Amino acid sequence: MSMFSIFNVSGSAISAQSQRLNVVASNLANVEAVAGPDGQAYKARQVVFQTTPQGSDAAAGVRVSAITENDAPGRRVYEPNHPLADPQGYVTHSNVNAVEEMVNMISASRSYQNNVEVMNTAKTLLLKTLQMGQ
C-alpha cells in the first residue's frame, strides 16, 4: 500500500462517519416525535457500511451502502386526549432509543477523530521523508 492511499482510505472513512453522525443527529432530533411527514411515527435509521476498493493497490476503504429503518415497534403511551391517539387511546411514539443513539454518536465521533489522526500522522511522515531528502 502506498503512503498516498492512506489518505484515500481515511478520507472514505471520514466521509462515512460523517454520514453516520448525520443519521444519529436525525434520530436524536426525533426521540420524542409522535408523527412524521407521512403521519406515521418516526422510525430510527441505521447506516450500513460496505468496503470498497481504493485505487490499484490492495487498499480498501469504506462507504455507506444503505440507510435502513429500524422496524421495532414504537413506544405506545396512553394519552386518550391526544389528537393522534388511536381508538384505544394510545399514541405511538418513535422507536428511537436515546441511550443507544448517544453511544452510536460517541463511536462515530471517535472513529472520525481516529481517521483524522491517521491522516495527520501520514502527513507528518511524508514531510519528514521530504526533509530527509534535502
Side-chain angles (χ1 to χ4, degrees), residues 78-97:
Y78 184 70
E79 297 179 54
N81 295 329
H82 195 283
L84 295 175
D86 63 12
Q88 291 82 27
Y90 287 94
V91 176
T92 304
H93 291 260
S94 70
N95 64 353
V96 177
N97 182 331

mmCIF file of all heavy atoms in Angstrom, residues 78-97:
data_model
loop_
_atom_site.group_PDB
_atom_site.id
_atom_site.type_symbol
_atom_site.label_atom_id
_atom_site.label_comp_id
_atom_site.label_asym_id
_atom_site.label_seq_id
_atom_site.Cartn_x
_atom_site.Cartn_y
_atom_site.Cartn_z
ATOM 1 N N TYR A 78 -50.408 5.809 26.741
ATOM 2 C CA TYR A 78 -51.846 6.045 26.869
ATOM 3 C C TYR A 78 -52.093 7.532 27.077
ATOM 4 O O TYR A 78 -51.781 8.106 28.111
ATOM 5 C CB TYR A 78 -52.414 5.241 28.052
ATOM 6 C CG TYR A 78 -53.903 5.371 28.187
ATOM 7 C CD1 TYR A 78 -54.754 4.789 27.253
ATOM 8 C CD2 TYR A 78 -54.471 6.075 29.240
ATOM 9 C CE1 TYR A 78 -56.124 4.905 27.365
ATOM 10 C CE2 TYR A 78 -55.843 6.202 29.367
ATOM 11 C CZ TYR A 78 -56.665 5.606 28.415
ATOM 12 O OH TYR A 78 -58.028 5.734 28.533
ATOM 13 N N GLU A 79 -52.626 8.174 26.032
ATOM 14 C CA GLU A 79 -52.983 9.602 26.060
ATOM 15 C C GLU A 79 -54.292 9.766 25.289
ATOM 16 O O GLU A 79 -54.293 10.188 24.131
ATOM 17 C CB GLU A 79 -51.890 10.449 25.405
ATOM 18 C CG GLU A 79 -50.543 10.405 26.083
ATOM 19 C CD GLU A 79 -49.513 11.247 25.353
ATOM 20 O OE1 GLU A 79 -49.785 12.451 25.123
ATOM 21 O OE2 GLU A 79 -48.460 10.705 25.008
ATOM 22 N N PRO A 80 -55.415 9.468 25.910
ATOM 23 C CA PRO A 80 -56.686 9.465 25.184
ATOM 24 C C PRO A 80 -57.084 10.842 24.644
ATOM 25 O O PRO A 80 -57.852 10.918 23.680
ATOM 26 C CB PRO A 80 -57.690 8.951 26.204
ATOM 27 C CG PRO A 80 -57.054 9.161 27.531
ATOM 28 C CD PRO A 80 -55.582 9.103 27.316
ATOM 29 N N ASN A 81 -56.583 11.929 25.193
ATOM 30 C CA ASN A 81 -56.956 13.269 24.724
ATOM 31 C C ASN A 81 -56.045 13.793 23.619
ATOM 32 O O ASN A 81 -56.272 14.884 23.102
ATOM 33 C CB ASN A 81 -56.955 14.252 25.898
ATOM 34 C CG ASN A 81 -58.012 13.899 26.917
ATOM 35 O OD1 ASN A 81 -59.058 13.359 26.572
ATOM 36 N ND2 ASN A 81 -57.728 14.176 28.175
ATOM 37 N N HIS A 82 -55.029 13.034 23.265
ATOM 38 C CA HIS A 82 -54.097 13.466 22.215
ATOM 39 C C HIS A 82 -54.778 13.344 20.850
ATOM 40 O O HIS A 82 -55.492 12.377 20.590
ATOM 41 C CB HIS A 82 -52.833 12.592 22.255
ATOM 42 C CG HIS A 82 -51.691 13.160 21.490
ATOM 43 N ND1 HIS A 82 -51.610 13.108 20.124
ATOM 44 C CD2 HIS A 82 -50.575 13.808 21.912
ATOM 45 C CE1 HIS A 82 -50.496 13.680 19.728
ATOM 46 N NE2 HIS A 82 -49.846 14.118 20.790
ATOM 47 N N PRO A 83 -54.589 14.333 19.952
ATOM 48 C CA PRO A 83 -55.259 14.261 18.643
ATOM 49 C C PRO A 83 -54.835 13.084 17.777
ATOM 50 O O PRO A 83 -55.579 12.668 16.892
ATOM 51 C CB PRO A 83 -54.882 15.586 17.960
ATOM 52 C CG PRO A 83 -53.906 16.266 18.836
ATOM 53 C CD PRO A 83 -53.842 15.559 20.131
ATOM 54 N N LEU A 84 -53.657 12.508 18.023
ATOM 55 C CA LEU A 84 -53.195 11.370 17.219
ATOM 56 C C LEU A 84 -53.413 10.025 17.918
ATOM 57 O O LEU A 84 -52.875 9.007 17.483
ATOM 58 C CB LEU A 84 -51.707 11.544 16.881
ATOM 59 C CG LEU A 84 -51.378 12.734 15.984
ATOM 60 C CD1 LEU A 84 -49.875 12.876 15.816
ATOM 61 C CD2 LEU A 84 -52.056 12.598 14.637
ATOM 62 N N ALA A 85 -54.207 10.009 18.971
ATOM 63 C CA ALA A 85 -54.475 8.765 19.699
ATOM 64 C C ALA A 85 -55.312 7.825 18.837
ATOM 65 O O ALA A 85 -56.182 8.248 18.077
ATOM 66 C CB ALA A 85 -55.191 9.066 21.007
ATOM 67 N N ASP A 86 -55.016 6.530 18.968
ATOM 68 C CA ASP A 86 -55.807 5.531 18.243
ATOM 69 C C ASP A 86 -57.124 5.307 18.998
ATOM 70 O O ASP A 86 -57.354 5.902 20.050
ATOM 71 C CB ASP A 86 -54.996 4.237 18.065
ATOM 72 C CG ASP A 86 -54.634 3.557 19.370
ATOM 73 O OD1 ASP A 86 -55.174 3.929 20.421
ATOM 74 O OD2 ASP A 86 -53.799 2.639 19.332
ATOM 75 N N PRO A 87 -58.034 4.480 18.484
ATOM 76 C CA PRO A 87 -59.333 4.279 19.151
ATOM 77 C C PRO A 87 -59.231 3.775 20.595
ATOM 78 O O PRO A 87 -60.130 4.009 21.401
ATOM 79 C CB PRO A 87 -60.030 3.240 18.265
ATOM 80 C CG PRO A 87 -59.410 3.415 16.924
ATOM 81 C CD PRO A 87 -57.988 3.813 17.177
ATOM 82 N N GLN A 88 -58.121 3.115 20.939
ATOM 83 C CA GLN A 88 -57.944 2.643 22.319
ATOM 84 C C GLN A 88 -57.339 3.737 23.216
ATOM 85 O O GLN A 88 -57.157 3.530 24.417
ATOM 86 C CB GLN A 88 -57.031 1.416 22.368
ATOM 87 C CG GLN A 88 -57.640 0.169 21.762
ATOM 88 C CD GLN A 88 -57.488 0.151 20.241
ATOM 89 O OE1 GLN A 88 -56.575 0.740 19.693
ATOM 90 N NE2 GLN A 88 -58.417 -0.515 19.569
ATOM 91 N N GLY A 89 -56.957 4.877 22.651
ATOM 92 C CA GLY A 89 -56.398 5.972 23.430
ATOM 93 C C GLY A 89 -54.881 6.001 23.503
ATOM 94 O O GLY A 89 -54.311 6.774 24.259
ATOM 95 N N TYR A 90 -54.220 5.172 22.712
ATOM 96 C CA TYR A 90 -52.758 5.107 22.738
ATOM 97 C C TYR A 90 -52.151 5.928 21.596
ATOM 98 O O TYR A 90 -52.665 5.946 20.486
ATOM 99 C CB TYR A 90 -52.266 3.659 22.626
ATOM 100 C CG TYR A 90 -52.482 2.862 23.889
ATOM 101 C CD1 TYR A 90 -53.634 2.095 24.046
ATOM 102 C CD2 TYR A 90 -51.539 2.889 24.898
ATOM 103 C CE1 TYR A 90 -53.841 1.365 25.204
ATOM 104 C CE2 TYR A 90 -51.742 2.164 26.062
ATOM 105 C CZ TYR A 90 -52.890 1.403 26.206
ATOM 106 O OH TYR A 90 -53.087 0.699 27.357
ATOM 107 N N VAL A 91 -51.047 6.579 21.904
ATOM 108 C CA VAL A 91 -50.284 7.326 20.909
ATOM 109 C C VAL A 91 -48.962 6.592 20.715
ATOM 110 O O VAL A 91 -48.278 6.252 21.686
ATOM 111 C CB VAL A 91 -50.013 8.775 21.376
ATOM 112 C CG1 VAL A 91 -49.146 9.516 20.384
ATOM 113 C CG2 VAL A 91 -51.322 9.502 21.607
ATOM 114 N N THR A 92 -48.608 6.327 19.462
ATOM 115 C CA THR A 92 -47.348 5.642 19.163
ATOM 116 C C THR A 92 -46.255 6.669 18.928
ATOM 117 O O THR A 92 -46.348 7.502 18.037
ATOM 118 C CB THR A 92 -47.495 4.737 17.930
ATOM 119 O OG1 THR A 92 -48.573 3.829 18.157
ATOM 120 C CG2 THR A 92 -46.221 3.968 17.663
ATOM 121 N N HIS A 93 -45.216 6.602 19.759
ATOM 122 C CA HIS A 93 -44.060 7.490 19.645
ATOM 123 C C HIS A 93 -42.980 6.804 18.804
ATOM 124 O O HIS A 93 -43.097 5.628 18.474
ATOM 125 C CB HIS A 93 -43.514 7.828 21.033
ATOM 126 C CG HIS A 93 -44.429 8.700 21.833
ATOM 127 N ND1 HIS A 93 -44.240 10.045 21.955
ATOM 128 C CD2 HIS A 93 -45.554 8.419 22.532
ATOM 129 C CE1 HIS A 93 -45.188 10.564 22.706
ATOM 130 N NE2 HIS A 93 -46.012 9.584 23.071
ATOM 131 N N SER A 94 -41.923 7.525 18.509
ATOM 132 C CA SER A 94 -40.835 6.951 17.705
ATOM 133 C C SER A 94 -40.171 5.795 18.455
ATOM 134 O O SER A 94 -40.286 5.676 19.675
ATOM 135 C CB SER A 94 -39.791 8.023 17.391
ATOM 136 O OG SER A 94 -39.078 8.373 18.552
ATOM 137 N N ASN A 95 -39.464 4.962 17.699
ATOM 138 C CA ASN A 95 -38.766 3.822 18.299
ATOM 139 C C ASN A 95 -37.288 4.133 18.544
ATOM 140 O O ASN A 95 -36.480 3.235 18.684
ATOM 141 C CB ASN A 95 -38.917 2.573 17.423
ATOM 142 C CG ASN A 95 -38.274 2.732 16.063
ATOM 143 O OD1 ASN A 95 -37.807 3.803 15.689
ATOM 144 N ND2 ASN A 95 -38.251 1.657 15.297
ATOM 145 N N VAL A 96 -36.934 5.400 18.616
ATOM 146 C CA VAL A 96 -35.546 5.809 18.842
ATOM 147 C C VAL A 96 -35.207 5.644 20.316
ATOM 148 O O VAL A 96 -35.926 6.117 21.190
ATOM 149 C CB VAL A 96 -35.321 7.273 18.412
ATOM 150 C CG1 VAL A 96 -33.905 7.713 18.718
ATOM 151 C CG2 VAL A 96 -35.635 7.455 16.943
ATOM 152 N N ASN A 97 -34.099 4.968 20.577
ATOM 153 C CA ASN A 97 -33.583 4.807 21.929
ATOM 154 C C ASN A 97 -32.450 5.821 22.096
ATOM 155 O O ASN A 97 -31.397 5.698 21.484
ATOM 156 C CB ASN A 97 -33.076 3.380 22.138
ATOM 157 C CG ASN A 97 -32.579 3.137 23.543
ATOM 158 O OD1 ASN A 97 -32.110 4.037 24.227
ATOM 159 N ND2 ASN A 97 -32.681 1.887 23.979
#
